[in-house]
Every structure is written in structure tokens, then in C-alpha cells.
Amino acid sequence: MNIRLTFAGISAAWLLPIMASADGLTLSGGVAATAAFDAANGLSHSENTVEGYIEGELNGVHAGVWIGSLFDDPTDDAEYELSLGYGGNISDTLGYDITATRYYLNNGGYQNYDIAFELSAVLNGRTNGALEVIWDPEAETIETTIGLEYALTDKFTLAGEIGRSEADNNMFGEIGISYALTENTALELLYEDADDSAGALSLSVSYDFGLLGG
């Protein structure tokens, strides 16, 4: 494993145990398994992946580690993300978040990093919206995404987003519906498509849990 931890990555990894000794900390985690199908090829099975994360938050500062498997990759078995950010509320209905994330492969090592700026809004009792701008300083490119989420019932949630990547002049989007099996477990059916790739349909089961606080 060749992971080169630089400033943002080291900060995220060190902050979790440091934050764990502080009052007001919330610590959470989760795991998920996904099966994906090629929508352009008669919904033929294309991949299975698993992922997991742990994140700590204290007074708006949050740090997290995410790991996900790669399916049938010739050189790498997993990808990693280390993040560090800060978020808060502008008003009762408007929030913001700024997060720096570094990306790694288990054999390929460090890949790149980006900085995401997000504005989120409670549009009404059932609808939430978000605008996210992701800046890649090394490539000097920007990715912009607009998303909406609507609670159909207490169990079913409909969500979608559309975005544009400046790096490859690519438009992309997704729409999905999720069902809360329990307070911590959910199923999600998601359709994704982009200008430069065929559509894909995926089915995921996820389990999120609190470790401390909250």
C-alpha cells in the first residue's frame, strides 16, 4: 500500500482521535454494498462494490475517512478519500460547507485533491436543495452540481442532481429513490448517466450508525 499522506490527509486522520476527547463531538460511520447494471446493454450486471466511512464533527469542523472497493481493476483494489472541512448555518433555512478532499489508490497512491463549496437550502417541509462547486486546483477546473431531494413519505425519498464537469466538458446527472428500512438502514435505486458514458442502474443497501454523541 502506497498512500502518501500530506497536510489535509494527515489533518483528517489526526483530528478524529483528537476530537474524540472533546466535549460536543459527534462520531458516525457507515457501510454500503452496491450492485450496478449497464442500462445500455439490457441491464447486464457490470460491477459489485462495497464502501465504508467514519466521520467526526465538532463545532462545525468535520474530518472523515472513506474507503471503497474497485471492481475488476487491473492495478488497484481500493480507493481512499481523506477530508477536512467546516460548515454551519447562515439562517434557519440556509447552510454552507467548505471541504477539502484528497484522493488515493491503494497501489497508485495519491491522485489529486479538490475543494468543495456547498450551499444547502430547506425549500419547504419536504424539499431540500443544494448547489455545489468543486474546484480542482491542480487541473484548474471546476465542477458544478445542482441537486434536489423530496420526501415522498416518511419512508420514501426522491432525489436527483445535474451537473457539468469543466475538465472534460461533460454533462452528467442522476435520479434515485430510497426507502428507509429502519432508522439506520436504507435501500436505494439509482440511475446515472453522462455525456461520455452509458447509463447505469444501481441498487444499494446502506447502514449508518452513530458512534459517539448525536
Side-chain angles (χ1 to χ4, degrees), residues 24-91:
L25 169 76
T26 60
L27 195 61
S28 58
V31 292
T34 300
F37 305 87
D38 187 350
N41 191 26
L43 290 181
S44 60
H45 178 255
S46 57
E47 64 177 18
N48 295 318
T49 56
V50 293
E51 62 187 85
Y53 76 92
I54 183 171
E55 182 177 67
E57 189 275 330
L58 177 66
N59 298 327
V61 178
H62 56 86
V65 179
W66 176 93
I67 180 172
S69 67
L70 294 173
F71 185 80
D72 237 5
D73 189 279
T75 57
D76 293 277
D77 300 313
E79 55 186 333
Y80 304 82
E81 298 177 9
L82 299 173
S83 64
L84 177 64
Y86 180 81
N89 295 320
I90 299 172
S91 67

Side-chain angles (χ1 to χ4, degrees), residues 57-193:
E57 189 275 330
L58 177 66
N59 298 327
V61 178
H62 56 86
V65 179
W66 176 93
I67 180 172
S69 67
L70 294 173
F71 185 80
D72 237 5
D73 189 279
T75 57
D76 293 277
D77 300 313
E79 55 186 333
Y80 304 82
E81 298 177 9
L82 299 173
S83 64
L84 177 64
Y86 180 81
N89 295 320
I90 299 172
S91 67
D92 291 341
T93 59
L94 192 63
Y96 69 93
D97 186 85
I98 302 172
T99 300
T101 305
R102 298 184 72 90
Y103 302 90
Y104 304 84
L105 296 173
N106 69 302
N107 289 320
Y110 169 75
Q111 300 298 298
N112 67 301
Y113 81 99
D114 60 39
I115 302 172
F117 307 86
E118 182 181 82
L119 284 176
S120 57
V122 178
L123 302 179
N124 58 48
R126 289 183 174 271
T127 309
N128 297 317
L131 170 65
E132 185 176 47
V133 177
I134 302 175
W135 175 46
D136 184 333
E138 295 177 349
E140 297 184 345
T141 57
I142 290 175
E143 180 178 296
T144 307
T145 305
I146 297 174
L148 285 174
E149 180 181 275
Y150 179 72
L152 298 169
T153 69
D154 291 340
K155 295 285 189 179
F156 285 98
T157 300
L158 181 67
E161 67 176 33
I162 187 169
R164 179 182 180 274
S165 171
E166 187 180 85
D168 48 12
N169 194 28
N170 186 43
M171 292 291 295
F172 58 89
E174 65 180 44
I175 186 167
I177 187 167
S178 61
Y179 176 73
L181 294 169
T182 68
E183 185 178 351
N184 302 96
T185 308
L187 289 173
E188 182 183 42
L189 185 65
L190 181 69
Y191 177 76
E192 302 170 275
D193 205 349

